[in-house]
Amino acid sequence: MSSPRPLALLIAVFFIPLKSFSVSPGVTTSRGLVVAAEGHAAEAGAAILRKGGNAVDAAVATALTLAVTYPRAGNIGGGGFMVVRLADGTATAFDFRETAPGGATRTLYQDGEGKVVKGRSTEGHLAAAVPGTVAGLAMALERMGSGKLAWAELVEPARALAEKGFEVTDAMAEDLSASAELLGANAAARRIFLRDGKYYTAGDTLRQPELAATLGRMQAEGPGEFYTGRTAELLAADMAAHGGLITKSDLAGYRAVERAVLRGEYRGYELITMPPPSSGGIALLQMLAMLEGYDVASLAPAGAEKIHLFVEVMRRAYADRAAYLGDPDFTKIPVSELLDRDYLGRRAATIDPKRATPSKTLGGGLSAATEATKPESMETTHFSVMDAAGNVVSCTYTINGIYGCGVVAGETGILLNNEMDDFTSRPGTPNAFGLVQGEANAIQPRKRPLSCMTPTIVLRDGKVVIVTGSPGGATIINTVVQVITNLIDHRMTPADAVAAKRFNHQWLPDAITHEPGFASEAVIYELKAKGHELRLRKLYPNDPPRWSGTQGSAETIVVDLVTGVRTGVPDGRRPGTAAVAE
Ligand code: DON
């Protein structure tokens, strides 16, 4: 039978637009601004700045609002990381990554024969880890908030939007129906997000009365209510009724952790980024240190030489990630060895400018040990905040998969994460995406799964010049390295630096994944001739078709040191991203 496919393919190839998404010129101001994945949430933060709140106050309001208006990733049922730098130079990181429940075991997601059971670590109650977002936001507020605005005031925009509802956009309607299978498997999620099968369309109002009630309790009783109050009771009861593991004692025992930021340097710029349990900061600093030995500025931004160099640097950093990284409270992580300039110089010296290094010949560089990594997938969101005084927040948080594990916990209205899938389900066994991961990241009770989230702040002469980060699972670190080098080396405008087409190499699989149009046909030919395999980015599971092929969403702030002008650039790849000035 003759198939119509080749013709369809030809048409598809011809019609992949070079600029498949809109390029936002950004919003400029000399005062404060918030850049986030959704407009109500960016506005909620900006309104707090107008009331005299600082960047941390605004970040708390934005994060809570995203939990209502951007349920695919915004959350109080997940976790994340926030890097803060105050204008006085103080910098710190808040780790509110989820933890494995006390009842979790190494083999939780395996069957009796030791095989990983498909879907068990990604869908339903068993996939959820103990949420950290509320504890992390509360800790950040207590430590670094202005003290001028009470917790209750910061919860209010989110609570009001959950109660009164907000208008569903075209993109959100499309997004919800793309996840109908996942959300439809849980009664509360089906009722709230799919209207029991009467799907939302653009212009409808999405109200979340249970979530409003939960936020109302947290508003009245404080953030501890989530962990020890009625919310904890409802969440634990729903877990017990549906075979989940999270108990009241897991919730009561959850603690956010304040960690020392990771610092590095690149061509005279200072970087402040996230330490483990994210792999993001270490891998970012490793890549930049390896790149520093090359004159990146002289290379064409989308040329074969540049892409080859970046891919080789990415490959080496991700191989180290696989071999050495995990939760620092459970695994000894050789941070200073991994960031040692001599080590990274030797590592970069193994790059052959003419040939791709096959990943199978490359393990962790500190020793001969090779363990494979599991690049994550699916959904997360990043936002950047700067206030008029120059305090900044870079925050990436997540429920992992799009709409997490698809479960709304009973009457809480809270959509839960499936962060357990960021752990090693079985060392050496490929996961659902055909990838394998390492021992340092094996499941243990109360352990934090390894992450790629990379909230980052860049300074020059002690002044903030870039605040950035991105969702995108395993690709996050590579998105951040490209945004930063587009600005520092290629001297792109803020809008171009964020819009430039992206590519990704994560050691395994041994292939470059890329956005459509990331390089010319001639460059692609050259890369193939060097031995690289290239794959057009695929749609993540549950992603709506219009987001096909995009990598990340870097909601970024760039400050012009000469004029002091601050530009907030919402990433045009995703519909609805917004920058709102104070
Ligand atoms: O922590 C991580 O690295 C992952 N759970 C992030 C997932 C993600 O970014 C999905 N985003 N699109």
PDB file of all heavy atoms in Angstrom, residues 352-382:
ATOM      1  N   ASP A 352      37.409  16.923  20.841  1.00  0.00           N
ATOM      2  CA  ASP A 352      38.013  16.893  19.508  1.00  0.00           C
ATOM      3  C   ASP A 352      37.207  17.854  18.627  1.00  0.00           C
ATOM      4  O   ASP A 352      36.005  17.650  18.426  1.00  0.00           O
ATOM      5  CB  ASP A 352      37.938  15.446  18.968  1.00  0.00           C
ATOM      6  CG  ASP A 352      38.534  15.324  17.562  1.00  0.00           C
ATOM      7  OD1 ASP A 352      38.700  16.358  16.882  1.00  0.00           O
ATOM      8  OD2 ASP A 352      38.796  14.180  17.149  1.00  0.00           O
ATOM      9  N   PRO A 353      37.853  18.913  18.114  1.00  0.00           N
ATOM     10  CA  PRO A 353      37.082  19.889  17.332  1.00  0.00           C
ATOM     11  C   PRO A 353      36.482  19.304  16.059  1.00  0.00           C
ATOM     12  O   PRO A 353      35.521  19.849  15.511  1.00  0.00           O
ATOM     13  CB  PRO A 353      38.107  20.973  16.992  1.00  0.00           C
ATOM     14  CG  PRO A 353      39.444  20.407  17.300  1.00  0.00           C
ATOM     15  CD  PRO A 353      39.268  19.276  18.272  1.00  0.00           C
ATOM     16  N   LYS A 354      37.035  18.157  15.637  1.00  0.00           N
ATOM     17  CA  LYS A 354      36.552  17.606  14.366  1.00  0.00           C
ATOM     18  C   LYS A 354      35.509  16.520  14.540  1.00  0.00           C
ATOM     19  O   LYS A 354      34.753  16.227  13.615  1.00  0.00           O
ATOM     20  CB  LYS A 354      37.743  17.011  13.595  1.00  0.00           C
ATOM     21  CG  LYS A 354      38.771  18.030  13.194  1.00  0.00           C
ATOM     22  CD  LYS A 354      39.553  17.507  11.983  1.00  0.00           C
ATOM     23  CE  LYS A 354      40.608  18.485  11.555  1.00  0.00           C
ATOM     24  NZ  LYS A 354      41.660  18.676  12.574  1.00  0.00           N
ATOM     25  N   ARG A 355      35.492  15.865  15.719  1.00  0.00           N
ATOM     26  CA  ARG A 355      34.650  14.687  15.871  1.00  0.00           C
ATOM     27  C   ARG A 355      33.837  14.736  17.154  1.00  0.00           C
ATOM     28  O   ARG A 355      34.319  15.200  18.194  1.00  0.00           O
ATOM     29  CB  ARG A 355      35.509  13.403  15.964  1.00  0.00           C
ATOM     30  CG  ARG A 355      36.299  13.052  14.748  1.00  0.00           C
ATOM     31  CD  ARG A 355      35.453  12.645  13.566  1.00  0.00           C
ATOM     32  NE  ARG A 355      34.485  11.571  13.864  1.00  0.00           N
ATOM     33  CZ  ARG A 355      33.455  11.272  13.069  1.00  0.00           C
ATOM     34  NH1 ARG A 355      33.229  11.964  11.958  1.00  0.00           N
ATOM     35  NH2 ARG A 355      32.645  10.292  13.377  1.00  0.00           N
ATOM     36  N   ALA A 356      32.602  14.244  17.107  1.00  0.00           N
ATOM     37  CA  ALA A 356      31.792  14.067  18.311  1.00  0.00           C
ATOM     38  C   ALA A 356      32.418  12.951  19.153  1.00  0.00           C
ATOM     39  O   ALA A 356      32.856  11.944  18.615  1.00  0.00           O
ATOM     40  CB  ALA A 356      30.369  13.682  17.919  1.00  0.00           C
ATOM     41  N   THR A 357      32.469  13.152  20.483  1.00  0.00           N
ATOM     42  CA  THR A 357      32.938  12.087  21.373  1.00  0.00           C
ATOM     43  C   THR A 357      31.748  11.173  21.648  1.00  0.00           C
ATOM     44  O   THR A 357      30.755  11.642  22.202  1.00  0.00           O
ATOM     45  CB  THR A 357      33.412  12.672  22.729  1.00  0.00           C
ATOM     46  OG1 THR A 357      34.335  13.718  22.473  1.00  0.00           O
ATOM     47  CG2 THR A 357      34.034  11.600  23.607  1.00  0.00           C
ATOM     48  N   PRO A 358      31.814   9.887  21.288  1.00  0.00           N
ATOM     49  CA  PRO A 358      30.649   9.049  21.570  1.00  0.00           C
ATOM     50  C   PRO A 358      30.383   8.992  23.083  1.00  0.00           C
ATOM     51  O   PRO A 358      31.315   8.756  23.851  1.00  0.00           O
ATOM     52  CB  PRO A 358      31.057   7.669  21.034  1.00  0.00           C
ATOM     53  CG  PRO A 358      32.194   7.932  20.103  1.00  0.00           C
ATOM     54  CD  PRO A 358      32.894   9.151  20.623  1.00  0.00           C
ATOM     55  N   SER A 359      29.132   9.200  23.517  1.00  0.00           N
ATOM     56  CA  SER A 359      28.836   9.233  24.954  1.00  0.00           C
ATOM     57  C   SER A 359      29.197   7.918  25.629  1.00  0.00           C
ATOM     58  O   SER A 359      29.557   7.896  26.800  1.00  0.00           O
ATOM     59  CB  SER A 359      27.353   9.548  25.180  1.00  0.00           C
ATOM     60  OG  SER A 359      27.111  10.900  24.894  1.00  0.00           O
ATOM     61  N   LYS A 360      29.122   6.823  24.880  1.00  0.00           N
ATOM     62  CA  LYS A 360      29.393   5.536  25.525  1.00  0.00           C
ATOM     63  C   LYS A 360      30.871   5.387  25.921  1.00  0.00           C
ATOM     64  O   LYS A 360      31.202   4.550  26.741  1.00  0.00           O
ATOM     65  CB  LYS A 360      28.934   4.364  24.657  1.00  0.00           C
ATOM     66  CG  LYS A 360      29.610   4.222  23.310  1.00  0.00           C
ATOM     67  CD  LYS A 360      29.076   2.941  22.636  1.00  0.00           C
ATOM     68  CE  LYS A 360      29.811   2.612  21.359  1.00  0.00           C
ATOM     69  NZ  LYS A 360      29.558   3.526  20.250  1.00  0.00           N
ATOM     70  N   THR A 361      31.710   6.257  25.373  1.00  0.00           N
ATOM     71  CA  THR A 361      33.129   6.192  25.751  1.00  0.00           C
ATOM     72  C   THR A 361      33.439   7.177  26.872  1.00  0.00           C
ATOM     73  O   THR A 361      34.575   7.319  27.292  1.00  0.00           O
ATOM     74  CB  THR A 361      34.042   6.549  24.548  1.00  0.00           C
ATOM     75  OG1 THR A 361      33.818   7.932  24.215  1.00  0.00           O
ATOM     76  CG2 THR A 361      33.740   5.679  23.343  1.00  0.00           C
ATOM     77  N   LEU A 362      32.428   7.870  27.359  1.00  0.00           N
ATOM     78  CA  LEU A 362      32.662   8.963  28.307  1.00  0.00           C
ATOM     79  C   LEU A 362      31.861   8.730  29.584  1.00  0.00           C
ATOM     80  O   LEU A 362      30.639   8.661  29.558  1.00  0.00           O
ATOM     81  CB  LEU A 362      32.187  10.268  27.656  1.00  0.00           C
ATOM     82  CG  LEU A 362      32.540  11.555  28.361  1.00  0.00           C
ATOM     83  CD1 LEU A 362      33.966  11.959  28.050  1.00  0.00           C
ATOM     84  CD2 LEU A 362      31.584  12.655  27.910  1.00  0.00           C
ATOM     85  N   GLY A 363      32.545   8.629  30.717  1.00  0.00           N
ATOM     86  CA  GLY A 363      31.846   8.514  31.999  1.00  0.00           C
ATOM     87  C   GLY A 363      32.066   9.768  32.803  1.00  0.00           C
ATOM     88  O   GLY A 363      32.468  10.795  32.267  1.00  0.00           O
ATOM     89  N   GLY A 364      31.804   9.685  34.124  1.00  0.00           N
ATOM     90  CA  GLY A 364      32.121  10.794  35.001  1.00  0.00           C
ATOM     91  C   GLY A 364      33.629  11.028  34.933  1.00  0.00           C
ATOM     92  O   GLY A 364      34.400  10.072  34.900  1.00  0.00           O
ATOM     93  N   GLY A 365      34.065  12.284  34.903  1.00  0.00           N
ATOM     94  CA  GLY A 365      35.467  12.578  34.655  1.00  0.00           C
ATOM     95  C   GLY A 365      36.379  12.440  35.865  1.00  0.00           C
ATOM     96  O   GLY A 365      37.596  12.392  35.718  1.00  0.00           O
ATOM     97  N   LEU A 366      35.815  12.384  37.076  1.00  0.00           N
ATOM     98  CA  LEU A 366      36.670  12.327  38.262  1.00  0.00           C
ATOM     99  C   LEU A 366      37.235  10.938  38.483  1.00  0.00           C
ATOM    100  O   LEU A 366      38.228  10.760  39.142  1.00  0.00           O
ATOM    101  CB  LEU A 366      35.887  12.751  39.513  1.00  0.00           C
ATOM    102  CG  LEU A 366      35.414  14.197  39.562  1.00  0.00           C
ATOM    103  CD1 LEU A 366      34.649  14.446  40.852  1.00  0.00           C
ATOM    104  CD2 LEU A 366      36.586  15.161  39.461  1.00  0.00           C
ATOM    105  N   SER A 367      36.540   9.923  37.976  1.00  0.00           N
ATOM    106  CA  SER A 367      37.014   8.556  38.149  1.00  0.00           C
ATOM    107  C   SER A 367      36.555   7.783  36.938  1.00  0.00           C
ATOM    108  O   SER A 367      35.904   8.316  36.054  1.00  0.00           O
ATOM    109  CB  SER A 367      36.406   7.939  39.394  1.00  0.00           C
ATOM    110  OG  SER A 367      35.042   7.683  39.149  1.00  0.00           O
ATOM    111  N   ALA A 368      36.864   6.485  36.930  1.00  0.00           N
ATOM    112  CA  ALA A 368      36.447   5.682  35.792  1.00  0.00           C
ATOM    113  C   ALA A 368      34.965   5.310  35.878  1.00  0.00           C
ATOM    114  O   ALA A 368      34.389   4.806  34.926  1.00  0.00           O
ATOM    115  CB  ALA A 368      37.284   4.419  35.730  1.00  0.00           C
ATOM    116  N   ALA A 369      34.363   5.576  37.035  1.00  0.00           N
ATOM    117  CA  ALA A 369      32.976   5.120  37.233  1.00  0.00           C
ATOM    118  C   ALA A 369      32.035   5.772  36.234  1.00  0.00           C
ATOM    119  O   ALA A 369      32.095   6.967  35.990  1.00  0.00           O
ATOM    120  CB  ALA A 369      32.517   5.481  38.631  1.00  0.00           C
ATOM    121  N   THR A 370      31.178   4.982  35.640  1.00  0.00           N
ATOM    122  CA  THR A 370      30.178   5.517  34.731  1.00  0.00           C
ATOM    123  C   THR A 370      28.806   5.063  35.186  1.00  0.00           C
ATOM    124  O   THR A 370      28.563   3.888  35.286  1.00  0.00           O
ATOM    125  CB  THR A 370      30.373   4.989  33.309  1.00  0.00           C
ATOM    126  OG1 THR A 370      31.692   5.294  32.912  1.00  0.00           O
ATOM    127  CG2 THR A 370      29.402   5.618  32.356  1.00  0.00           C
ATOM    128  N   GLU A 371      27.980   6.021  35.498  1.00  0.00           N
ATOM    129  CA  GLU A 371      26.597   5.651  35.768  1.00  0.00           C
ATOM    130  C   GLU A 371      25.731   6.539  34.906  1.00  0.00           C
ATOM    131  O   GLU A 371      26.059   7.688  34.653  1.00  0.00           O
ATOM    132  CB  GLU A 371      26.245   5.888  37.232  1.00  0.00           C
ATOM    133  CG  GLU A 371      26.872   4.853  38.128  1.00  0.00           C
ATOM    134  CD  GLU A 371      26.400   5.052  39.544  1.00  0.00           C
ATOM    135  OE1 GLU A 371      25.182   5.208  39.726  1.00  0.00           O
ATOM    136  OE2 GLU A 371      27.230   5.067  40.434  1.00  0.00           O
ATOM    137  N   ALA A 372      24.624   6.001  34.498  1.00  0.00           N
ATOM    138  CA  ALA A 372      23.807   6.752  33.558  1.00  0.00           C
ATOM    139  C   ALA A 372      22.807   7.636  34.274  1.00  0.00           C
ATOM    140  O   ALA A 372      22.379   7.355  35.373  1.00  0.00           O
ATOM    141  CB  ALA A 372      23.082   5.798  32.639  1.00  0.00           C
ATOM    142  N   THR A 373      22.446   8.688  33.630  1.00  0.00           N
ATOM    143  CA  THR A 373      21.504   9.633  34.209  1.00  0.00           C
ATOM    144  C   THR A 373      20.112   9.454  33.641  1.00  0.00           C
ATOM    145  O   THR A 373      19.915   8.757  32.656  1.00  0.00           O
ATOM    146  CB  THR A 373      21.938  11.073  33.916  1.00  0.00           C
ATOM    147  OG1 THR A 373      21.065  11.945  34.616  1.00  0.00           O
ATOM    148  CG2 THR A 373      21.851  11.392  32.440  1.00  0.00           C
ATOM    149  N   LYS A 374      19.192  10.099  34.295  1.00  0.00           N
ATOM    150  CA  LYS A 374      17.833  10.105  33.801  1.00  0.00           C
ATOM    151  C   LYS A 374      17.394  11.524  33.592  1.00  0.00           C
ATOM    152  O   LYS A 374      17.034  12.211  34.536  1.00  0.00           O
ATOM    153  CB  LYS A 374      16.902   9.447  34.810  1.00  0.00           C
ATOM    154  CG  LYS A 374      15.515   9.277  34.262  1.00  0.00           C
ATOM    155  CD  LYS A 374      14.459   9.684  35.247  1.00  0.00           C
ATOM    156  CE  LYS A 374      14.343  11.192  35.268  1.00  0.00           C
ATOM    157  NZ  LYS A 374      13.106  11.718  35.759  1.00  0.00           N
ATOM    158  N   PRO A 375      17.490  12.020  32.401  1.00  0.00           N
ATOM    159  CA  PRO A 375      17.014  13.366  32.163  1.00  0.00           C
ATOM    160  C   PRO A 375      15.492  13.425  32.365  1.00  0.00           C
ATOM    161  O   PRO A 375      14.788  12.538  31.899  1.00  0.00           O
ATOM    162  CB  PRO A 375      17.380  13.632  30.707  1.00  0.00           C
ATOM    163  CG  PRO A 375      18.389  12.593  30.392  1.00  0.00           C
ATOM    164  CD  PRO A 375      18.035  11.408  31.220  1.00  0.00           C
ATOM    165  N   GLU A 376      15.043  14.451  33.072  1.00  0.00           N
ATOM    166  CA  GLU A 376      13.624  14.519  33.395  1.00  0.00           C
ATOM    167  C   GLU A 376      12.818  15.080  32.242  1.00  0.00           C
ATOM    168  O   GLU A 376      13.347  15.531  31.252  1.00  0.00           O
ATOM    169  CB  GLU A 376      13.394  15.418  34.608  1.00  0.00           C
ATOM    170  CG  GLU A 376      14.068  14.940  35.835  1.00  0.00           C
ATOM    171  CD  GLU A 376      15.502  15.356  35.865  1.00  0.00           C
ATOM    172  OE1 GLU A 376      16.094  15.610  34.803  1.00  0.00           O
ATOM    173  OE2 GLU A 376      16.048  15.415  36.950  1.00  0.00           O
ATOM    174  N   SER A 377      11.530  15.088  32.464  1.00  0.00           N
ATOM    175  CA  SER A 377      10.677  15.577  31.407  1.00  0.00           C
ATOM    176  C   SER A 377       9.625  16.525  31.972  1.00  0.00           C
ATOM    177  O   SER A 377       9.439  16.610  33.154  1.00  0.00           O
ATOM    178  CB  SER A 377       9.946  14.416  30.791  1.00  0.00           C
ATOM    179  OG  SER A 377       9.053  13.922  31.754  1.00  0.00           O
ATOM    180  N   MET A 378       9.006  17.174  31.177  1.00  0.00           N
ATOM    181  CA  MET A 378       7.657  17.696  31.209  1.00  0.00           C
ATOM    182  C   MET A 378       7.363  19.075  31.777  1.00  0.00           C
ATOM    183  O   MET A 378       7.485  20.003  31.043  1.00  0.00           O
ATOM    184  CB  MET A 378       6.701  16.641  31.700  1.00  0.00           C
ATOM    185  CG  MET A 378       6.820  15.414  30.852  1.00  0.00           C
ATOM    186  SD  MET A 378       5.732  14.080  31.269  1.00  0.00           S
ATOM    187  CE  MET A 378       6.501  13.368  32.686  1.00  0.00           C
ATOM    188  N   GLU A 379       6.963  19.255  33.042  1.00  0.00           N
ATOM    189  CA  GLU A 379       6.507  20.607  33.324  1.00  0.00           C
ATOM    190  C   GLU A 379       6.930  21.224  34.646  1.00  0.00           C
ATOM    191  O   GLU A 379       6.862  20.632  35.700  1.00  0.00           O
ATOM    192  CB  GLU A 379       5.006  20.724  33.152  1.00  0.00           C
ATOM    193  CG  GLU A 379       4.546  22.147  33.095  1.00  0.00           C
ATOM    194  CD  GLU A 379       5.289  23.023  32.076  1.00  0.00           C
ATOM    195  OE1 GLU A 379       6.141  22.520  31.334  1.00  0.00           O
ATOM    196  OE2 GLU A 379       5.026  24.228  32.050  1.00  0.00           O
ATOM    197  N   THR A 380       7.263  22.455  34.525  1.00  0.00           N
ATOM    198  CA  THR A 380       7.892  23.253  35.567  1.00  0.00           C
ATOM    199  C   THR A 380       7.659  24.684  35.144  1.00  0.00           C
ATOM    200  O   THR A 380       7.250  24.930  34.014  1.00  0.00           O
ATOM    201  CB  THR A 380       9.415  22.928  35.570  1.00  0.00           C
ATOM    202  OG1 THR A 380       9.570  21.563  35.849  1.00  0.00           O
ATOM    203  CG2 THR A 380      10.197  23.759  36.549  1.00  0.00           C
ATOM    204  N   THR A 381       7.943  25.646  36.016  1.00  0.00           N
ATOM    205  CA  THR A 381       7.861  27.027  35.557  1.00  0.00           C
ATOM    206  C   THR A 381       8.887  27.881  36.292  1.00  0.00           C
ATOM    207  O   THR A 381       9.215  27.608  37.441  1.00  0.00           O
ATOM    208  CB  THR A 381       6.429  27.578  35.692  1.00  0.00           C
ATOM    209  OG1 THR A 381       6.368  28.856  35.064  1.00  0.00           O
ATOM    210  CG2 THR A 381       5.974  27.715  37.132  1.00  0.00           C
ATOM    211  N   HIS A 382       9.386  28.880  35.584  1.00  0.00           N
ATOM    212  CA  HIS A 382      10.384  29.773  36.170  1.00  0.00           C
ATOM    213  C   HIS A 382       9.846  31.198  36.176  1.00  0.00           C
ATOM    214  O   HIS A 382       9.173  31.611  35.243  1.00  0.00           O
ATOM    215  CB  HIS A 382      11.687  29.748  35.363  1.00  0.00           C
ATOM    216  CG  HIS A 382      12.686  30.720  35.916  1.00  0.00           C
ATOM    217  ND1 HIS A 382      13.506  30.410  36.976  1.00  0.00           N
ATOM    218  CD2 HIS A 382      12.933  32.017  35.625  1.00  0.00           C
ATOM    219  CE1 HIS A 382      14.224  31.476  37.298  1.00  0.00           C
ATOM    220  NE2 HIS A 382      13.889  32.473  36.491  1.00  0.00           N
TER     221      HIS A 382
END
